[in-house]
Amino acid sequence: MLVGYVHGKDALTVYVIDGDVTVNGPLVFEQSDAYAALYVTGNLICDNAYVAWDAQLFVGGSLTVKELLATYLTDAGHFSIKGALVAGSWL
């Protein structure tokens, strides 16, 4: 699942998913000088996750990353998990 914004091409967006999300594969969410947000009201489960730069990820439940969670956020990025965060490894 690729979430993001292409500068000059896409409109800024807030993605809201009401409920749980399971991604069978990697979740890639990276932003640069753009501020699209992803808000999952329930639990988010994925194999691997990469959240970077100015990405704004909010999870109302728990986040489970079966293998690797990699985060690299600027001061404009947000990574907020209300419930438990479980990851095989976190960089």
Side-chain angles (χ1 to χ4, degrees), residues 43-74:
N43 300 313
L44 175 57
I45 300 169
C46 59
D47 293 341
N48 296 285
Y50 177 63
V51 182
W53 300 100
D54 299 338
Q56 299 180 13
L57 176 64
F58 303 91
V59 178
S62 296
L63 172 62
T64 301
V65 180
K66 296 175 185 173
E67 296 175 19
L68 177 63
L69 168 61
T71 55
Y72 183 76
L73 296 170
T74 67

Side-chain angles (χ1 to χ4, degrees), residues 1 3 15-21 38-42 44:
M1 178 175 164
V3 180
Y15 300 92
V16 178
I17 300 174
D18 188 16
D20 297 335
V21 174
L38 172 61
Y39 177 44
V40 177
T41 63
L44 175 57

